[in-house]
mmCIF file of all heavy atoms in Angstrom:
data_model
loop_
_atom_site.group_PDB
_atom_site.id
_atom_site.type_symbol
_atom_site.label_atom_id
_atom_site.label_comp_id
_atom_site.label_asym_id
_atom_site.label_seq_id
_atom_site.Cartn_x
_atom_site.Cartn_y
_atom_site.Cartn_z
ATOM 1 N N LEU A 1 -37.513 -59.414 93.382
ATOM 2 C CA LEU A 1 -36.547 -59.218 94.404
ATOM 3 C C LEU A 1 -36.594 -60.354 95.457
ATOM 4 O O LEU A 1 -35.543 -60.832 95.910
ATOM 5 C CB LEU A 1 -36.814 -57.831 95.129
ATOM 6 C CG LEU A 1 -35.831 -57.489 96.309
ATOM 7 C CD1 LEU A 1 -34.453 -57.377 95.802
ATOM 8 C CD2 LEU A 1 -36.321 -56.219 96.988
ATOM 9 N N ILE A 2 -37.840 -60.756 95.765
ATOM 10 C CA ILE A 2 -37.999 -61.845 96.669
ATOM 11 C C ILE A 2 -37.448 -63.152 96.130
ATOM 12 O O ILE A 2 -36.803 -63.905 96.806
ATOM 13 C CB ILE A 2 -39.515 -62.029 97.135
ATOM 14 C CG1 ILE A 2 -39.913 -60.780 97.980
ATOM 15 C CG2 ILE A 2 -39.765 -63.295 97.775
ATOM 16 C CD1 ILE A 2 -41.395 -60.709 98.285
ATOM 17 N N ASP A 3 -37.687 -63.365 94.779
ATOM 18 C CA ASP A 3 -37.172 -64.533 94.201
ATOM 19 C C ASP A 3 -35.606 -64.456 94.183
ATOM 20 O O ASP A 3 -34.988 -65.546 94.426
ATOM 21 C CB ASP A 3 -37.672 -64.647 92.703
ATOM 22 C CG ASP A 3 -39.133 -64.973 92.627
ATOM 23 O OD1 ASP A 3 -39.702 -65.453 93.619
ATOM 24 O OD2 ASP A 3 -39.724 -64.754 91.523
ATOM 25 N N LEU A 4 -35.093 -63.368 93.990
ATOM 26 C CA LEU A 4 -33.599 -63.180 93.984
ATOM 27 C C LEU A 4 -33.109 -63.424 95.419
ATOM 28 O O LEU A 4 -32.085 -64.130 95.615
ATOM 29 C CB LEU A 4 -33.211 -61.780 93.562
ATOM 30 C CG LEU A 4 -31.784 -61.500 93.398
ATOM 31 C CD1 LEU A 4 -31.133 -62.377 92.412
ATOM 32 C CD2 LEU A 4 -31.557 -59.975 93.054
ATOM 33 N N GLN A 5 -33.772 -62.956 96.430
ATOM 34 C CA GLN A 5 -33.358 -63.222 97.801
ATOM 35 C C GLN A 5 -33.483 -64.724 98.147
ATOM 36 O O GLN A 5 -32.590 -65.224 98.801
ATOM 37 C CB GLN A 5 -34.211 -62.358 98.788
ATOM 38 C CG GLN A 5 -33.943 -60.931 98.782
ATOM 39 C CD GLN A 5 -34.893 -60.111 99.631
ATOM 40 O OE1 GLN A 5 -36.011 -60.586 99.979
ATOM 41 N NE2 GLN A 5 -34.462 -58.885 100.016
ATOM 42 N N ILE A 6 -34.473 -65.314 97.633
ATOM 43 C CA ILE A 6 -34.658 -66.823 97.884
ATOM 44 C C ILE A 6 -33.458 -67.506 97.225
ATOM 45 O O ILE A 6 -32.870 -68.360 97.836
ATOM 46 C CB ILE A 6 -35.969 -67.332 97.395
ATOM 47 C CG1 ILE A 6 -37.117 -66.827 98.247
ATOM 48 C CG2 ILE A 6 -36.007 -68.805 97.313
ATOM 49 C CD1 ILE A 6 -38.500 -67.112 97.675
ATOM 50 N N GLU A 7 -33.150 -67.189 95.987
ATOM 51 C CA GLU A 7 -32.034 -67.839 95.265
ATOM 52 C C GLU A 7 -30.720 -67.496 96.001
ATOM 53 O O GLU A 7 -29.879 -68.436 96.146
ATOM 54 C CB GLU A 7 -31.987 -67.308 93.853
ATOM 55 C CG GLU A 7 -30.997 -68.083 92.948
ATOM 56 C CD GLU A 7 -31.335 -69.527 92.730
ATOM 57 O OE1 GLU A 7 -32.551 -69.842 92.774
ATOM 58 O OE2 GLU A 7 -30.415 -70.249 92.500
ATOM 59 N N THR A 8 -30.525 -66.313 96.492
ATOM 60 C CA THR A 8 -29.325 -65.927 97.254
ATOM 61 C C THR A 8 -29.282 -66.820 98.505
ATOM 62 O O THR A 8 -28.156 -67.271 98.831
ATOM 63 C CB THR A 8 -29.362 -64.455 97.580
ATOM 64 O OG1 THR A 8 -29.450 -63.698 96.402
ATOM 65 C CG2 THR A 8 -28.137 -64.080 98.346
ATOM 66 N N ASN A 9 -30.340 -66.927 99.215
ATOM 67 C CA ASN A 9 -30.356 -67.776 100.457
ATOM 68 C C ASN A 9 -30.073 -69.209 100.132
ATOM 69 O O ASN A 9 -29.295 -69.859 100.913
ATOM 70 C CB ASN A 9 -31.685 -67.588 101.165
ATOM 71 C CG ASN A 9 -31.882 -66.280 101.840
ATOM 72 O OD1 ASN A 9 -30.812 -65.614 102.109
ATOM 73 N ND2 ASN A 9 -33.065 -65.869 102.072
ATOM 74 N N LYS A 10 -30.579 -69.733 99.008
ATOM 75 C CA LYS A 10 -30.200 -71.071 98.634
ATOM 76 C C LYS A 10 -28.770 -71.274 98.324
ATOM 77 O O LYS A 10 -28.114 -72.225 98.751
ATOM 78 C CB LYS A 10 -31.072 -71.542 97.376
ATOM 79 C CG LYS A 10 -32.514 -71.792 97.687
ATOM 80 C CD LYS A 10 -33.253 -72.230 96.440
ATOM 81 C CE LYS A 10 -34.708 -72.421 96.703
ATOM 82 N NZ LYS A 10 -35.402 -72.763 95.448
ATOM 83 N N MET A 11 -28.246 -70.233 97.669
ATOM 84 C CA MET A 11 -26.788 -70.294 97.333
ATOM 85 C C MET A 11 -25.921 -70.204 98.629
ATOM 86 O O MET A 11 -24.928 -70.869 98.670
ATOM 87 C CB MET A 11 -26.436 -69.225 96.312
ATOM 88 C CG MET A 11 -26.950 -69.413 94.871
ATOM 89 S SD MET A 11 -26.702 -68.078 93.808
ATOM 90 C CE MET A 11 -24.955 -68.371 93.474
ATOM 91 N N LYS A 12 -26.341 -69.309 99.502
ATOM 92 C CA LYS A 12 -25.619 -69.290 100.760
ATOM 93 C C LYS A 12 -25.687 -70.544 101.517
ATOM 94 O O LYS A 12 -24.662 -71.039 102.091
ATOM 95 C CB LYS A 12 -26.162 -68.080 101.629
ATOM 96 C CG LYS A 12 -25.821 -66.750 101.248
ATOM 97 C CD LYS A 12 -26.475 -65.718 102.167
ATOM 98 C CE LYS A 12 -26.139 -64.245 101.720
ATOM 99 N NZ LYS A 12 -26.726 -63.307 102.640
ATOM 100 N N GLU A 13 -26.821 -71.211 101.570
ATOM 101 C CA GLU A 13 -27.062 -72.432 102.244
ATOM 102 C C GLU A 13 -26.135 -73.546 101.605
ATOM 103 O O GLU A 13 -25.468 -74.262 102.251
ATOM 104 C CB GLU A 13 -28.431 -72.891 102.182
ATOM 105 C CG GLU A 13 -28.767 -74.189 102.902
ATOM 106 C CD GLU A 13 -30.253 -74.561 102.796
ATOM 107 O OE1 GLU A 13 -31.127 -73.797 102.459
ATOM 108 O OE2 GLU A 13 -30.521 -75.787 103.105
ATOM 109 N N TRP A 14 -26.100 -73.547 100.251
ATOM 110 C CA TRP A 14 -25.275 -74.489 99.486
ATOM 111 C C TRP A 14 -23.809 -74.238 99.839
ATOM 112 O O TRP A 14 -23.046 -75.168 100.134
ATOM 113 C CB TRP A 14 -25.590 -74.354 98.029
ATOM 114 C CG TRP A 14 -24.520 -75.280 97.227
ATOM 115 C CD1 TRP A 14 -24.745 -76.661 97.017
ATOM 116 C CD2 TRP A 14 -23.401 -74.937 96.657
ATOM 117 N NE1 TRP A 14 -23.650 -77.066 96.303
ATOM 118 C CE2 TRP A 14 -22.842 -76.101 96.037
ATOM 119 C CE3 TRP A 14 -22.650 -73.689 96.588
ATOM 120 C CZ2 TRP A 14 -21.610 -76.025 95.327
ATOM 121 C CZ3 TRP A 14 -21.449 -73.670 95.870
ATOM 122 C CH2 TRP A 14 -20.933 -74.869 95.293
ATOM 123 N N TYR A 15 -23.390 -72.960 99.818
ATOM 124 C CA TYR A 15 -22.031 -72.654 100.217
ATOM 125 C C TYR A 15 -21.744 -73.043 101.601
ATOM 126 O O TYR A 15 -20.634 -73.694 101.832
ATOM 127 C CB TYR A 15 -21.818 -71.103 100.075
ATOM 128 C CG TYR A 15 -20.621 -70.597 100.663
ATOM 129 C CD1 TYR A 15 -19.354 -70.835 99.997
ATOM 130 C CD2 TYR A 15 -20.605 -69.958 101.882
ATOM 131 C CE1 TYR A 15 -18.156 -70.371 100.603
ATOM 132 C CE2 TYR A 15 -19.448 -69.517 102.536
ATOM 133 C CZ TYR A 15 -18.265 -69.693 101.909
ATOM 134 O OH TYR A 15 -17.115 -69.265 102.463
ATOM 135 N N GLU A 16 -22.583 -72.802 102.583
ATOM 136 C CA GLU A 16 -22.286 -73.167 103.963
ATOM 137 C C GLU A 16 -22.178 -74.662 104.078
ATOM 138 O O GLU A 16 -21.340 -75.180 104.804
ATOM 139 C CB GLU A 16 -23.397 -72.589 104.893
ATOM 140 C CG GLU A 16 -23.408 -71.104 105.011
ATOM 141 C CD GLU A 16 -22.142 -70.540 105.657
ATOM 142 O OE1 GLU A 16 -21.561 -71.231 106.478
ATOM 143 O OE2 GLU A 16 -21.712 -69.394 105.259
ATOM 144 N N THR A 17 -23.153 -75.404 103.420
ATOM 145 C CA THR A 17 -23.089 -76.881 103.394
ATOM 146 C C THR A 17 -21.753 -77.376 102.892
ATOM 147 O O THR A 17 -21.109 -78.259 103.523
ATOM 148 C CB THR A 17 -24.220 -77.468 102.696
ATOM 149 O OG1 THR A 17 -25.455 -76.891 103.214
ATOM 150 C CG2 THR A 17 -24.260 -78.952 102.724
ATOM 151 N N GLU A 18 -21.346 -76.871 101.700
ATOM 152 C CA GLU A 18 -20.063 -77.271 101.107
ATOM 153 C C GLU A 18 -18.921 -76.938 101.987
ATOM 154 O O GLU A 18 -18.061 -77.807 102.137
ATOM 155 C CB GLU A 18 -19.929 -76.701 99.727
ATOM 156 C CG GLU A 18 -20.760 -77.239 98.673
ATOM 157 C CD GLU A 18 -20.405 -78.579 98.281
ATOM 158 O OE1 GLU A 18 -19.233 -78.888 98.105
ATOM 159 O OE2 GLU A 18 -21.327 -79.488 98.215
ATOM 160 N N ASN A 19 -18.936 -75.721 102.481
ATOM 161 C CA ASN A 19 -17.848 -75.281 103.356
ATOM 162 C C ASN A 19 -17.700 -76.208 104.589
ATOM 163 O O ASN A 19 -16.651 -76.599 104.981
ATOM 164 C CB ASN A 19 -18.124 -73.846 103.753
ATOM 165 C CG ASN A 19 -16.892 -73.124 104.366
ATOM 166 O OD1 ASN A 19 -15.739 -73.635 104.141
ATOM 167 N ND2 ASN A 19 -17.061 -72.113 105.130
ATOM 168 N N PHE A 20 -18.900 -76.530 105.171
ATOM 169 C CA PHE A 20 -18.912 -77.428 106.357
ATOM 170 C C PHE A 20 -18.331 -78.763 106.046
ATOM 171 O O PHE A 20 -17.493 -79.328 106.783
ATOM 172 C CB PHE A 20 -20.344 -77.508 106.907
ATOM 173 C CG PHE A 20 -20.470 -78.410 108.055
ATOM 174 C CD1 PHE A 20 -20.099 -78.027 109.360
ATOM 175 C CD2 PHE A 20 -20.990 -79.656 107.979
ATOM 176 C CE1 PHE A 20 -20.190 -78.816 110.457
ATOM 177 C CE2 PHE A 20 -21.208 -80.507 109.035
ATOM 178 C CZ PHE A 20 -20.793 -80.113 110.286
ATOM 179 N N GLU A 21 -18.834 -79.384 104.904
ATOM 180 C CA GLU A 21 -18.363 -80.656 104.499
ATOM 181 C C GLU A 21 -16.803 -80.702 104.218
ATOM 182 O O GLU A 21 -16.161 -81.617 104.562
ATOM 183 C CB GLU A 21 -19.103 -81.166 103.253
ATOM 184 C CG GLU A 21 -20.540 -81.503 103.525
ATOM 185 C CD GLU A 21 -21.333 -81.857 102.352
ATOM 186 O OE1 GLU A 21 -20.789 -81.869 101.232
ATOM 187 O OE2 GLU A 21 -22.565 -82.154 102.474
ATOM 188 N N LEU A 22 -16.364 -79.628 103.591
ATOM 189 C CA LEU A 22 -14.918 -79.528 103.200
ATOM 190 C C LEU A 22 -14.078 -79.370 104.497
ATOM 191 O O LEU A 22 -12.994 -79.992 104.581
ATOM 192 C CB LEU A 22 -14.690 -78.326 102.315
ATOM 193 C CG LEU A 22 -15.205 -78.583 100.894
ATOM 194 C CD1 LEU A 22 -14.939 -77.272 100.014
ATOM 195 C CD2 LEU A 22 -14.474 -79.744 100.153
ATOM 196 N N LYS A 23 -14.569 -78.619 105.435
ATOM 197 C CA LYS A 23 -13.820 -78.457 106.712
ATOM 198 C C LYS A 23 -13.842 -79.785 107.484
ATOM 199 O O LYS A 23 -12.776 -80.193 108.042
ATOM 200 C CB LYS A 23 -14.500 -77.371 107.588
ATOM 201 C CG LYS A 23 -14.218 -75.931 107.151
ATOM 202 C CD LYS A 23 -14.748 -74.985 108.047
ATOM 203 C CE LYS A 23 -14.434 -73.536 107.554
ATOM 204 N NZ LYS A 23 -15.038 -72.512 108.399
ATOM 205 N N ASN A 24 -14.933 -80.500 107.462
ATOM 206 C CA ASN A 24 -14.931 -81.818 108.122
ATOM 207 C C ASN A 24 -13.976 -82.735 107.326
ATOM 208 O O ASN A 24 -13.306 -83.531 108.006
ATOM 209 C CB ASN A 24 -16.354 -82.405 108.053
ATOM 210 C CG ASN A 24 -17.283 -81.844 109.109
ATOM 211 O OD1 ASN A 24 -16.842 -81.274 110.059
ATOM 212 N ND2 ASN A 24 -18.586 -82.043 108.983
ATOM 213 N N MET A 25 -14.005 -82.677 106.049
ATOM 214 C CA MET A 25 -13.045 -83.582 105.278
ATOM 215 C C MET A 25 -11.608 -83.225 105.643
ATOM 216 O O MET A 25 -10.705 -84.110 105.839
ATOM 217 C CB MET A 25 -13.275 -83.339 103.789
ATOM 218 C CG MET A 25 -12.520 -84.401 102.948
ATOM 219 S SD MET A 25 -12.802 -84.212 101.154
ATOM 220 C CE MET A 25 -14.568 -84.363 101.065
ATOM 221 N N ILE A 26 -11.265 -81.936 105.759
ATOM 222 C CA ILE A 26 -9.962 -81.485 106.112
ATOM 223 C C ILE A 26 -9.568 -82.004 107.515
ATOM 224 O O ILE A 26 -8.470 -82.509 107.742
ATOM 225 C CB ILE A 26 -9.829 -79.926 106.037
ATOM 226 C CG1 ILE A 26 -9.882 -79.433 104.587
ATOM 227 C CG2 ILE A 26 -8.523 -79.442 106.731
ATOM 228 C CD1 ILE A 26 -9.964 -78.008 104.401
ATOM 229 N N LEU A 27 -10.528 -81.901 108.432
ATOM 230 C CA LEU A 27 -10.231 -82.351 109.793
ATOM 231 C C LEU A 27 -9.998 -83.882 109.781
ATOM 232 O O LEU A 27 -9.096 -84.371 110.506
ATOM 233 C CB LEU A 27 -11.349 -81.970 110.758
ATOM 234 C CG LEU A 27 -11.513 -80.511 111.122
ATOM 235 C CD1 LEU A 27 -12.762 -80.251 111.864
ATOM 236 C CD2 LEU A 27 -10.296 -80.075 111.899
ATOM 237 N N ALA A 28 -10.808 -84.577 109.034
ATOM 238 C CA ALA A 28 -10.628 -86.002 109.016
ATOM 239 C C ALA A 28 -9.313 -86.425 108.366
ATOM 240 O O ALA A 28 -8.552 -87.323 108.872
ATOM 241 C CB ALA A 28 -11.801 -86.664 108.172
ATOM 242 N N LEU A 29 -8.889 -85.682 107.353
ATOM 243 C CA LEU A 29 -7.609 -85.959 106.720
ATOM 244 C C LEU A 29 -6.416 -85.610 107.649
ATOM 245 O O LEU A 29 -5.430 -86.298 107.697
ATOM 246 C CB LEU A 29 -7.525 -85.201 105.340
ATOM 247 C CG LEU A 29 -8.384 -85.739 104.260
ATOM 248 C CD1 LEU A 29 -8.284 -84.793 103.037
ATOM 249 C CD2 LEU A 29 -8.009 -87.121 103.925
ATOM 250 N N GLU A 30 -6.591 -84.427 108.385
ATOM 251 C CA GLU A 30 -5.547 -84.093 109.302
ATOM 252 C C GLU A 30 -5.429 -85.178 110.426
ATOM 253 O O GLU A 30 -4.348 -85.512 110.791
ATOM 254 C CB GLU A 30 -5.880 -82.765 109.959
ATOM 255 C CG GLU A 30 -5.630 -81.568 108.988
ATOM 256 C CD GLU A 30 -6.065 -80.246 109.644
ATOM 257 O OE1 GLU A 30 -6.697 -80.198 110.657
ATOM 258 O OE2 GLU A 30 -5.636 -79.221 109.047
ATOM 259 N N ASN A 31 -6.554 -85.711 110.844
ATOM 260 C CA ASN A 31 -6.577 -86.747 111.839
ATOM 261 C C ASN A 31 -5.879 -87.983 111.332
ATOM 262 O O ASN A 31 -5.084 -88.652 112.022
ATOM 263 C CB ASN A 31 -7.978 -87.092 112.305
ATOM 264 C CG ASN A 31 -8.499 -86.063 113.276
ATOM 265 O OD1 ASN A 31 -7.849 -85.267 113.909
ATOM 266 N ND2 ASN A 31 -9.856 -86.011 113.384
ATOM 267 N N ARG A 32 -6.193 -88.283 110.052
ATOM 268 C CA ARG A 32 -5.508 -89.486 109.453
ATOM 269 C C ARG A 32 -4.029 -89.243 109.309
ATOM 270 O O ARG A 32 -3.294 -90.229 109.535
ATOM 271 C CB ARG A 32 -6.188 -89.688 108.045
ATOM 272 C CG ARG A 32 -5.660 -90.905 107.310
ATOM 273 C CD ARG A 32 -6.030 -92.186 107.992
ATOM 274 N NE ARG A 32 -5.530 -93.273 107.177
ATOM 275 C CZ ARG A 32 -5.027 -94.402 107.676
ATOM 276 N NH1 ARG A 32 -5.075 -94.569 108.991
ATOM 277 N NH2 ARG A 32 -4.608 -95.362 106.927
ATOM 278 N N VAL A 33 -3.651 -88.057 108.885
ATOM 279 C CA VAL A 33 -2.185 -87.771 108.881
ATOM 280 C C VAL A 33 -1.525 -87.946 110.201
ATOM 281 O O VAL A 33 -0.475 -88.574 110.290
ATOM 282 C CB VAL A 33 -2.005 -86.339 108.263
ATOM 283 C CG1 VAL A 33 -0.545 -85.881 108.439
ATOM 284 C CG2 VAL A 33 -2.356 -86.250 106.884
ATOM 285 N N GLN A 34 -2.151 -87.467 111.259
ATOM 286 C CA GLN A 34 -1.611 -87.641 112.635
ATOM 287 C C GLN A 34 -1.547 -89.089 112.948
ATOM 288 O O GLN A 34 -0.521 -89.526 113.496
ATOM 289 C CB GLN A 34 -2.490 -86.906 113.639
ATOM 290 C CG GLN A 34 -2.285 -85.427 113.565
ATOM 291 C CD GLN A 34 -3.169 -84.660 114.605
ATOM 292 O OE1 GLN A 34 -4.030 -85.217 115.210
ATOM 293 N NE2 GLN A 34 -2.869 -83.301 114.730
ATOM 294 N N GLU A 35 -2.588 -89.861 112.689
ATOM 295 C CA GLU A 35 -2.497 -91.311 112.949
ATOM 296 C C GLU A 35 -1.344 -91.909 112.196
ATOM 297 O O GLU A 35 -0.632 -92.805 112.715
ATOM 298 C CB GLU A 35 -3.836 -91.947 112.498
ATOM 299 C CG GLU A 35 -5.038 -91.613 113.372
ATOM 300 C CD GLU A 35 -6.319 -92.202 112.836
ATOM 301 O OE1 GLU A 35 -6.278 -93.005 111.910
ATOM 302 O OE2 GLU A 35 -7.344 -91.891 113.401
ATOM 303 N N LEU A 36 -1.176 -91.588 110.934
ATOM 304 C CA LEU A 36 -0.107 -92.087 110.121
ATOM 305 C C LEU A 36 1.261 -91.760 110.656
ATOM 306 O O LEU A 36 2.211 -92.548 110.666
ATOM 307 C CB LEU A 36 -0.251 -91.827 108.657
ATOM 308 C CG LEU A 36 -1.432 -92.439 107.902
ATOM 309 C CD1 LEU A 36 -1.572 -91.859 106.522
ATOM 310 C CD2 LEU A 36 -1.320 -93.897 107.809
ATOM 311 N N GLU A 37 1.348 -90.530 111.145
ATOM 312 C CA GLU A 37 2.609 -90.061 111.706
ATOM 313 C C GLU A 37 2.966 -90.837 112.958
ATOM 314 O O GLU A 37 4.091 -91.287 113.160
ATOM 315 C CB GLU A 37 2.526 -88.515 111.979
ATOM 316 C CG GLU A 37 2.700 -87.690 110.725
ATOM 317 C CD GLU A 37 2.547 -86.231 111.004
ATOM 318 O OE1 GLU A 37 2.126 -85.813 112.117
ATOM 319 O OE2 GLU A 37 2.777 -85.414 110.083
ATOM 320 N N LEU A 38 1.916 -91.050 113.821
ATOM 321 C CA LEU A 38 2.160 -91.864 115.010
ATOM 322 C C LEU A 38 2.535 -93.248 114.641
ATOM 323 O O LEU A 38 3.336 -93.840 115.282
ATOM 324 C CB LEU A 38 0.896 -91.812 115.864
ATOM 325 C CG LEU A 38 0.538 -90.506 116.630
ATOM 326 C CD1 LEU A 38 -0.782 -90.554 117.327
ATOM 327 C CD2 LEU A 38 1.696 -90.130 117.629
ATOM 328 N N CYS A 39 1.768 -93.829 113.674
ATOM 329 C CA CYS A 39 2.112 -95.193 113.243
ATOM 330 C C CYS A 39 3.519 -95.226 112.645
ATOM 331 O O CYS A 39 4.264 -96.226 112.904
ATOM 332 C CB CYS A 39 1.090 -95.614 112.229
ATOM 333 S SG CYS A 39 1.227 -97.308 111.711
ATOM 334 N N SER A 40 3.878 -94.246 111.934
ATOM 335 C CA SER A 40 5.260 -94.153 111.299
ATOM 336 C C SER A 40 6.346 -94.068 112.453
ATOM 337 O O SER A 40 7.319 -94.796 112.397
ATOM 338 C CB SER A 40 5.392 -92.937 110.410
ATOM 339 O OG SER A 40 6.682 -92.838 109.984
ATOM 340 N N GLU A 41 6.087 -93.281 113.526
ATOM 341 C CA GLU A 41 6.968 -93.224 114.650
ATOM 342 C C GLU A 41 7.122 -94.594 115.368
ATOM 343 O O GLU A 41 8.240 -94.986 115.688
ATOM 344 C CB GLU A 41 6.527 -92.100 115.553
ATOM 345 C CG GLU A 41 6.735 -90.773 115.099
ATOM 346 C CD GLU A 41 6.139 -89.631 115.937
ATOM 347 O OE1 GLU A 41 5.759 -90.042 117.201
ATOM 348 O OE2 GLU A 41 6.076 -88.486 115.640
ATOM 349 N N LYS A 42 5.906 -95.263 115.474
ATOM 350 C CA LYS A 42 5.925 -96.539 116.156
ATOM 351 C C LYS A 42 6.732 -97.562 115.330
ATOM 352 O O LYS A 42 7.544 -98.243 115.840
ATOM 353 C CB LYS A 42 4.526 -97.019 116.283
ATOM 354 C CG LYS A 42 4.399 -98.378 116.964
ATOM 355 C CD LYS A 42 2.947 -98.757 117.036
ATOM 356 C CE LYS A 42 2.811 -100.206 117.680
ATOM 357 N NZ LYS A 42 1.371 -100.666 117.690
ATOM 358 N N VAL A 43 6.437 -97.532 114.014
ATOM 359 C CA VAL A 43 7.295 -98.448 113.055
ATOM 360 C C VAL A 43 8.687 -98.090 113.077
ATOM 361 O O VAL A 43 9.570 -99.029 113.082
ATOM 362 C CB VAL A 43 6.638 -98.368 111.611
ATOM 363 C CG1 VAL A 43 7.576 -99.059 110.655
ATOM 364 C CG2 VAL A 43 5.252 -98.984 111.639
ATOM 365 N N LEU A 44 9.099 -96.843 113.103
ATOM 366 C CA LEU A 44 10.482 -96.442 113.182
ATOM 367 C C LEU A 44 11.103 -96.940 114.498
ATOM 368 O O LEU A 44 12.318 -97.426 114.499
ATOM 369 C CB LEU A 44 10.681 -94.975 112.975
ATOM 370 C CG LEU A 44 10.360 -94.393 111.622
ATOM 371 C CD1 LEU A 44 10.543 -92.902 111.671
ATOM 372 C CD2 LEU A 44 11.347 -94.953 110.606
ATOM 373 N N GLY A 45 10.370 -96.868 115.594
ATOM 374 C CA GLY A 45 10.833 -97.306 116.851
ATOM 375 C C GLY A 45 11.092 -98.808 116.813
ATOM 376 O O GLY A 45 12.102 -99.347 117.321
ATOM 377 N N GLU A 46 10.054 -99.529 116.243
ATOM 378 C CA GLU A 46 10.251 -100.947 116.103
ATOM 379 C C GLU A 46 11.402 -101.368 115.246
ATOM 380 O O GLU A 46 12.114 -102.304 115.543
ATOM 381 C CB GLU A 46 8.911 -101.552 115.581
ATOM 382 C CG GLU A 46 7.776 -101.564 116.620
ATOM 383 C CD GLU A 46 6.507 -102.060 116.006
ATOM 384 O OE1 GLU A 46 6.449 -102.550 114.868
ATOM 385 O OE2 GLU A 46 5.463 -102.149 116.735
ATOM 386 N N ARG A 47 11.542 -100.628 114.134
ATOM 387 C CA ARG A 47 12.628 -100.889 113.173
ATOM 388 C C ARG A 47 14.011 -100.733 113.984
ATOM 389 O O ARG A 47 14.911 -101.528 113.838
ATOM 390 C CB ARG A 47 12.574 -99.940 111.954
ATOM 391 C CG ARG A 47 13.676 -100.176 110.996
ATOM 392 C CD ARG A 47 13.898 -99.041 110.080
ATOM 393 N NE ARG A 47 14.384 -97.850 110.916
ATOM 394 C CZ ARG A 47 14.591 -96.669 110.358
ATOM 395 N NH1 ARG A 47 14.254 -96.444 109.133
ATOM 396 N NH2 ARG A 47 15.055 -95.727 111.154
#
């Protein structure tokens, strides 16, 4: 039971780490999209 709990905790930790990294990646991509949209608006204005 203790071994199973340790394994469960490891899996939870892995899940939380992956979830955190994916959320960070999503935020970074959203920021990049916003930057590109601003750049696109600027380029359209210049055009």
Side-chain angles (χ1 to χ4, degrees):
L1 181 61
I2 289 171
D3 290 343
L4 184 61
Q5 288 174 340
I6 289 171
E7 188 66 27
T8 302
N9 288 338
K10 284 181 183 178
M11 291 177 75
K12 282 181 183 178
E13 182 181 344
W14 176 82
Y15 166 77
E16 292 296 327
T17 303
E18 286 292 316
N19 195 21
F20 179 76
E21 288 176 1
L22 289 174
K23 284 182 180 179
N24 281 342
M25 190 181 300
I26 288 170
L27 288 174
L29 290 173
E30 286 176 349
N31 286 338
R32 182 67 179 144
V33 167
Q34 287 178 349
E35 288 174 9
L36 290 173
E37 286 174 349
L38 289 174
C39 186
S40 174
E41 289 175 8
K42 181 181 175 184
V43 167
L44 290 176
E46 289 177 2
R47 181 199 66 188

